[in-house]
């Protein structure tokens, strides 16, 4: 018999199953250990000595330390995880909203044009002022951006754009 045939007899299918199961459990254990250690550092309600004690317990006697930590503080661990997920979701939504508006935190060009047309309709600005302001908005030079060679607030400029 060849060496491959001997391997098949020495390592049957059930042994492969048990090996995969133990490997999966070992990886699951490592993930749980790292989550517990991260939760120890994330918990703001614990003092430094309490964090050091839990960390020492998890390092010296890992199985017992993690088991006791999950039993004693598992509910708070879940609540902190949910709070972090909510904060991340809020930050993501805020980023998406900010990016959709134009990315700079200001108003978008559409919002500025809408405000300009409302001001023109009320009679607050003339047709010539409307045309100049519209050109500024459409050229992506916001009021604070200025143009090359001009200084915002300098004489002869209106919000950094030269007067025409």
């Amino acid at each position: 018999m060849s060496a491959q045939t001997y391997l098949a007899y020495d390592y049957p299918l059930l042994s492969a199953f048990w090996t995969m199961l133990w490997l999966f459990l070992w990886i699951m254990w490592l993930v749980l250990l790292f989550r517990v250690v991260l939760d120890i550092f994330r918990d703001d309600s614990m003092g430094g000595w309490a964090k050091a004690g839990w960390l020492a317990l998890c390092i010296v006697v890992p199985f017992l330390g993690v088991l006791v930590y999950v039993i004693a503080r598992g509910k708070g661990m879940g609540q902190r995880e949910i709070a972090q997920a909510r904060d991340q979701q809020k930050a993501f939504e805020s980023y998406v909203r900010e990016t959709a508006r134009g990315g700079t935190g200001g108003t978008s060009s559409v919002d500025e044009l809408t405000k300009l047309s409302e001001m023109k309709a009320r009679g607050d600005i003339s047709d010539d002022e409307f045309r100049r302001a519209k050109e500024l908005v459409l050229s992506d030079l916001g009021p604070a951006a200025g143009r090359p060679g001009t200084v915002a607030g300098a004489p002869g400029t209106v919000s950094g754009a030269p007067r025409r």
Side-chain angles (χ1 to χ4, degrees):
M1 295 182 126
S2 68
Q4 291 176 349
T5 309
Y6 285 129
L7 181 61
Y9 284 121
D10 290 340
Y11 208 70
L13 184 61
L14 187 59
S15 293
F17 170 75
W18 282 113
T19 302
M20 287 174 29
L21 179 68
W22 282 112
L23 182 66
F24 174 74
L25 289 174
W26 183 72
I27 291 172
M28 219 170 65
W29 157 249
L30 285 177
V31 168
L32 180 62
L33 177 67
F34 285 122
R35 286 187 70 154
V36 165
V37 170
L38 287 174
D39 188 67
I40 290 171
F41 286 111
R42 183 183 346 179
D43 190 4
D44 292 333
S45 67
M46 276 197 296
W49 286 108
K51 288 181 182 187
W54 278 112
L55 192 60
L57 184 65
C58 287
I59 290 174
V60 173
V61 191
F63 288 109
L64 182 63
V66 168
L67 181 66
V68 171
Y69 186 86
V70 169
I71 291 171
R73 303 185 53 85
K75 186 175 183 179
M77 188 175 171
Q79 290 170 346
R80 283 184 292 281
E81 192 74 29
I82 289 170
Q84 182 188 14
R86 284 185 183 148
D87 290 344
Q88 286 178 342
Q89 183 67 27
K90 285 180 185 176
F92 174 73
E93 289 172 356
S94 172
Y95 171 76
V96 168
R97 242 182 266 114
E98 191 73 26
T99 303
R101 275 194 293 171
T104 59
T107 58
S108 69
S109 299
V110 175
D111 293 336
E112 291 181 26
L113 288 173
T114 304
K115 289 177 185 175
L116 282 172
S117 65
E118 289 173 359
M119 290 171 64
K120 181 183 171 194
R122 284 193 310 253
D124 294 341
I125 58 175
S126 67
D127 288 338
D128 189 45
E129 290 171 327
F130 175 76
R131 184 186 51 78
R132 282 187 279 149
K134 185 172 88 170
E135 287 174 4
L136 278 175
V137 169
L138 294 178
S139 67
D140 285 339
L141 292 176
R147 290 193 180 174
T150 64
V151 179
T157 62
V158 176
S159 300
R163 288 187 182 169
R164 293 184 186 163

